[in-house]
């Protein structure tokens, strides 16, 4: 029977949120393929993975955990080898990854080993007349490229936050197998974690970003307060202008030379909306702009705009959001 | 003494290759060609891919540290990519190779195969790529080339130390920074933050004109992807200015709840 392979990520022994999206995407592709196609979820880990038991709910029929001591941290070479083996032996027509930092590193290695094409960071995947097609933003989001896979398996990585997880009342069958082999030549020796509990802008479902309009680094407190009011779902992003000025970390930069984000809600505060900034956030579901210049280009992509002084508008917005969540 | 010289391997001149791509300027207004599949290049200004500037800069700094060595830039592209190579030569690279094709294919693996064939016997200690090309956003050619060459690879490197035939790289991941050890020779792809690329000086521009640039006609297979269409991005539905100042906040909240349904 045909199955779609969903390659999932875990960190520190727990399934990452993007895994639910990748399984959801795989489910969609399996349904499109028809003929009762199923979804195999694949985890690489040093031991049992917390959250693996939930993957059935998002569409996994089988949850395969391959274990090796090297999988305790990201082991690119050992992972690529294990996934390639699995993809070959399973005869999958489609293999999906998350377009995360790890997925984007891993997928090309697997594609090269399998000798097949890869589409990274796709925002849509469909099966048309048996052929897999994918849509991905190109030219800094100023156009979309639609491509058809000519060979198999089709490899794709899915842009985070685009494939909204869909649940169903089912469980997946767990399968665990140990895989042999060393860690490889490229070894992650440590991870310098960002501030505990801080959400990454690329993964948060709400992003509140600030630009030069904030005037000085300390004023980002206003945005941090707003982000907190959303109750742990929001991350604070930044324009390049303020990253270059050293006000915020590069990890928070949204845009062409920063991160691409697709949150449910993007709030641009004191950001003019330069084309390179838009490149990183224009696929957000809903965009709100707060800017005192009514002609700022950001208003052209914003669904809702408020013209005004951010130092007045944002605190008020924070109060109102708190009321909703209070 | 510079780190790169301490290792016996590097007592020989350091040989570094940088793969560079000619891409439309970031300010380009995208017009789709009549075939509905490609960019209409009329009037488009082309530049050296910004991520590849980090790669060229890194190569130059390592060579300058070592006091000897060679930096070779390689582009696969149309004849006009010679200009892109000259830009890198003007920054300070020693020589260039153009793998000349009519058009760069959509399938990054085909590009990687051609680059790997060119790099294979070059005896490079380091092969550098950009993290991604800002036209096709393929995000794959570097690690694919590494796999084809059987070399270790670290992608999206934002910090790099090399010493004693070994490297330590840092790369951003969601919510943190990975510290990665790797042996040389290796393939790296570069991210913003690694360095500040230099601008070519007038002297460099003049010197670049005399540096060797080898043009090699190349044929590629079409690869595993067929372009069906290049489409304009979905029109964001006409946005609205909710109002001015704090007075507009309650209405914004209402719209976000009732119309957009995101709160
Ligand atoms: C190759 C390249 C890559 C780039 N990559 C990126 C990228 O990844 N990300 C990115 O963001 N940029 C990028 N840029 C830079 C980009 O072109 C802009 O320079 C940058 O986005 C501007 O940042 P900003 O909007 O914060 O600042 P500005 O353009 O200065 O805008 C500040 C805004 O704040 C408003 N404002 C000021 N005071 C207030 C107030 N009190 N209340 C409300 N509003 C106020 C102003 O009206 C103005 O619109 C790139 C540029 C190049 C050339
Ligand atoms: N046609 C090309 N010629 C030379 N190098 C390329 C070419 N295409 C991509 N690259 C290299 O691969 C990197 C990643 O590109 P991509 O995978 O297309 O996003 C670029 O930053 C370049 O370093």
């Amino acid at each position: 029977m045909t199955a779609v392979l969903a390659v999932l990520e875990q960190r520190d022994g727990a399934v990452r949120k993007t895994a639910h999206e990748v399984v959801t995407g795989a489910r969609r592709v399996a349904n499109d393929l028809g003929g009762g196609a199923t979804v195999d979820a694949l985890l690489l880990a040093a031991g049992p993975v917390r959250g693996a038991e939930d993957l059935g709910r998002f569409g996994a029929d089988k949850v395969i955990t391959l274990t090796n001591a090297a999988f305790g941290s990201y082991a690119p070479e050992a992972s690529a080898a294990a996934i390639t083996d699995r993809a070959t032996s399973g005869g999958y027509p489609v293999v999906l990854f998350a377009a995360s930092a790890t997925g984007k590193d891993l997928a090309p290695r697997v594609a090269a080993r399998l000798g097949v094409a890869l589409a990274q960071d796709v925002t849509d995947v469909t099966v048309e007349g048996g052929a897999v097609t994918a849509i991905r933003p190109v030219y800094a989001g100023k156009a979309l490229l639609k491509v058809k896979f000519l060979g198999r398996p089709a490899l794709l990585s899915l842009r985070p936050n685009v494939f909204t997880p869909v649940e169903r009342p089912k469980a997946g069958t767990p399968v665990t197998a140990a895989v042999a082999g060393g860690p490889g030549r490229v070894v992650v020796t440590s991870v310098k974690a960002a501030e505990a509990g801080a959400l990454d802008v690329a993964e948060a479902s709400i992003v509140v970003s600030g630009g030069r309009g904030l005037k000085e680094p300390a004023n980002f407190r206003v945005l941090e307060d707003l982000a907190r009011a959303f109750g742990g779902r929001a991350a604070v992003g930044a324009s390049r202008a303020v990253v270059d000025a050293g006000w915020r970390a590069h990890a928070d930069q949204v845009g062409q030379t920063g991160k691409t984000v697709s949150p449910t809600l993007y709030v641009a505060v004191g950001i003019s909306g330069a084309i390179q900034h838009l490149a990183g956030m224009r696929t957000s579901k809903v965009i709100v702009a707060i800017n005192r210049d009514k002609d700022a280009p950001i208003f052209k992509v914003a669904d809702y705009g408020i013209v005004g002084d951010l130092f007045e508008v944002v605190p008020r917005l924070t109060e109102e959001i708190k009321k909703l969540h209070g | 003494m510079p780190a790169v010289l301490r290792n016996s391997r590097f007592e020989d001149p350091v040989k570094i290759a940088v793969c560079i791509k000619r891409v439309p300027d970031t300010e380009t207004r995208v017009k789709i060609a009549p075939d509905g599949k490609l960019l209409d290049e009329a009037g488009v200004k082309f530049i050296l891919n910004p991520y590849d500037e980090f790669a060229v800069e890194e190569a130059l700094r390592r060579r300058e540290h070592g006091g000897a060595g060679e930096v070779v830039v390689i582009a696969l592209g149309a004849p006009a990519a010679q200009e892109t190579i000259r830009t890198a030569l003007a920054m300070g690279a020693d020589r260039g190779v153009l793998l000349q094709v009519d058009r760069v294919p959509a399938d990054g693996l085909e590009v990687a195969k051609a680059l790997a064939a060119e790099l294979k016997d070059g005896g490079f200690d380091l092969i550098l790529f950009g993290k991604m090309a800002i036209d096709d956003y393929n995000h794959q050619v570097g690690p694919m080339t590494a796999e084809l060459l059987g070399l270790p690879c670290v992608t999206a490197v934002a910090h790099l130390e090399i010493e004693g035939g070994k490297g330590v790289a840092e790369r951003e991941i969601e919510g943190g920074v990975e510290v990665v050890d790797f042996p040389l020779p290796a393939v790296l792809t570069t991210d913003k933050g690694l360095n500040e690329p230099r601008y070519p000086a007038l002297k460099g521009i003049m010197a670049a004109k005399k540096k060797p640039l080898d043009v090699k006609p190349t044929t590629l297979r079409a690869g595993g992807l067929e372009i069906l269409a290049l489409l304009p991005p979905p029109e964001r539905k006409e946005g609205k200015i909710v109002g001015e100042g704090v007075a507009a906040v309650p209405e914004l909240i209402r719209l976000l709840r009732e119309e957009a349904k995101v709160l």
Side-chain angles (χ1 to χ4, degrees):
Chain A
M1 173 132 49
T2 310
V4 174
L5 184 64
V7 179
L8 310 183
E9 275 163 48
Q10 55 87 18
R11 205 186 287 173
D12 302 328
V15 165
R16 287 181 60 71
K17 184 191 132 210
T18 50
H20 300 163
E21 301 174 12
V22 177
V23 171
T24 297
R27 184 78 249 162
R28 245 173 65 184
V29 173
N31 293 348
D32 278 4
L33 284 169
T38 58
V39 172
D40 285 1
L42 182 67
L43 286 161
L44 307 180
V49 181
R50 289 188 303 284
E53 63 286 354
D54 290 336
L55 294 169
R57 280 201 284 128
F58 297 96
D61 298 294
K62 207 194 275 179
V63 180
I64 306 163
T65 308
L66 298 180
T67 59
N68 181 313
F71 298 152
S73 48
Y74 176 47
E77 296 184 346
S79 301
I83 295 164
T84 305
D85 279 353
R86 184 70 221 175
T88 309
S89 64
Y92 300 97
V94 181
V95 180
L96 300 180
F97 299 79
S100 58
T102 302
K104 282 196 277 199
D105 180 89
L106 191 50
R109 299 175 192 260
V110 175
R113 284 172 192 234
L114 292 170
V116 298
L118 162 69
Q120 295 261 50
D121 219 11
V122 311
T123 51
D124 199 12
V125 47
T126 47
V127 182
E128 291 172 15
V132 179
T133 64
I135 291 189
R136 20 188 310 272
V138 292
Y139 300 111
K142 287 179 273 185
L144 298 174
L145 187 67
K146 185 173 182 187
V147 291
K148 177 166 114 182
F149 284 87
L150 302 175
R152 289 194 162 190
L155 262 58
L156 307 96
S157 68
L158 308 184
R159 176 173 287 194
N161 272 320
V162 174
F163 294 80
T164 316
V166 178
E167 297 194 39
R168 55 168 202 171
K170 273 197 181 172
T173 314
V175 182
T176 303
V179 291
R185 297 163 296 184
V186 176
V187 178
V188 174
T189 53
S190 64
V191 175
K192 299 185 197 167
E195 189 188 329
L199 263 181
D200 192 88
V201 286
E203 292 189 322
S205 56
I206 298 175
V207 176
V208 179
S209 285
R212 192 140 44 194
L214 269 290
K215 301 254 176 349
E216 53 177 286
N219 290 339
F220 266 83
R221 207 192 47 236
V222 178
L223 297 192
E224 277 152 14
D225 288 345
L226 175 57
R228 232 184 331 267
F230 285 108
R233 288 187 297 149
V236 176
S239 74
R240 173 164 164 180
V242 301
V243 170
D244 282 355
W247 300 2
R248 304 296 289 181
H250 178 245
D252 302 335
Q253 184 181 318
V254 173
Q256 186 167 296
T257 38
K259 292 198 173 135
T260 305
V261 303
S262 290
T264 314
L265 175 62
Y266 188 87
V267 187
V269 181
I271 291 179
S272 58
I275 188 81
Q276 298 91 352
H277 187 80
L278 303 187
M281 43 65 80
R282 67 187 310 153
T283 56
S284 306
K285 290 197 184 73
V286 174
I287 298 172
V288 170
I290 298 166
N291 196 302
R292 68 175 177 199
D293 171 9
K294 69 172 181 12
D295 298 320
I298 191 74
F299 286 125
K300 294 214 171 60
V301 299
D303 300 284
Y304 306 109
I306 292 184
V307 179
D309 183 355
L310 73 91
F311 296 105
E312 292 168 16
V313 176
V314 176
R316 180 69 202 280
L317 185 58
T318 305
E319 253 173 59
E320 294 291 326
I321 300 287
K322 271 192 196 147
K323 274 191 221 158
L324 286 181
H325 290 262
Chain B
M1 183 193 279
V4 281
L5 281 184
R6 239 175 276 153
N7 165 31
S8 58
R9 230 200 103 74
F10 284 101
E11 277 163 13
D12 296 324
V14 190
K15 238 186 132 177
I16 305 177
V18 187
C19 293
I20 60 172
K21 189 177 187 189
R22 171 181 183 260
V23 298
D25 186 81
T26 56
E27 303 279 350
T28 303
R29 303 183 86 207
V30 169
K31 224 181 117 214
I32 294 161
D35 73 352
K37 295 182 179 180
L38 299 171
L39 176 73
D40 181 349
E41 295 190 355
V44 171
K45 182 182 157 219
F46 284 84
I47 57 168
L48 168 60
N49 182 37
Y51 287 102
D52 302 354
E53 289 183 0
F54 301 125
V56 172
E57 179 64 34
E58 195 61 26
L60 297 177
R61 289 188 189 191
R62 304 246 153 228
R63 187 200 58 193
E64 283 157 10
H65 267 269
E70 188 183 32
V71 174
V72 184
V73 291
I74 304 171
L76 177 136
Q82 286 193 36
E83 290 163 29
T84 315
I85 293 176
R86 293 281 173 212
T87 303
L89 296 177
M91 285 172 74
D94 299 294
R95 63 183 176 89
V97 178
L98 173 62
L99 304 178
Q100 188 174 305
V101 293
D102 296 335
R103 178 173 305 134
V104 180
D107 181 354
L109 186 56
E110 294 306 317
V111 177
K113 284 177 188 166
L115 293 173
E118 176 63 27
L119 291 161
K120 186 162 51 83
D121 300 318
F124 295 106
D125 304 298
L126 262 184
I127 303 176
L128 303 180
F129 290 79
K131 165 173 93 164
M132 67 169 189
I134 61 152
D135 53 352
D136 60 23
Y137 272 57
N138 259 348
H139 223 301
Q140 54 186 249
V141 171
M144 282 177 166
T145 307
E147 287 289 340
L148 297 174
L149 294 170
L151 290 176
C153 172
V154 185
T155 62
V157 173
H159 185 81
L160 178 66
E161 311 269 351
I162 293 178
E163 194 172 329
K166 290 203 196 92
V168 182
E170 291 187 6
R171 58 191 303 271
E172 256 175 34
I173 59 169
E174 294 78 12
V177 172
E178 266 176 2
V179 183
V180 191
D181 282 5
F182 62 94
L184 292 171
V187 171
L188 304 175
T189 80
T190 56
D191 200 353
K192 193 191 170 216
L194 183 60
N195 53 44
E196 274 305 321
R198 69 196 65 188
Y199 291 102
L202 186 60
K203 205 169 127 223
I205 296 169
M206 298 311 289
K209 294 188 177 145
K210 297 195 203 78
K211 288 180 179 172
L213 197 173
D214 198 2
V215 178
K216 302 184 177 179
T218 304
T219 16
L220 296 183
R221 293 187 312 162
L225 287 179
E226 180 190 333
I227 295 180
L228 295 181
L230 185 66
L231 308 160
E235 283 289 319
R236 292 200 71 95
K237 73 173 170 19
E238 187 70 27
K240 56 181 143 197
I241 300 285
V242 178
E244 289 191 16
V246 280
V249 171
E251 175 63 0
L252 174 65
I253 297 277
R254 189 192 68 78
L255 288 166
L256 290 177
R257 294 190 72 179
E258 293 171 17
E259 193 175 86
K261 297 190 168 50
V262 292
L263 290 184

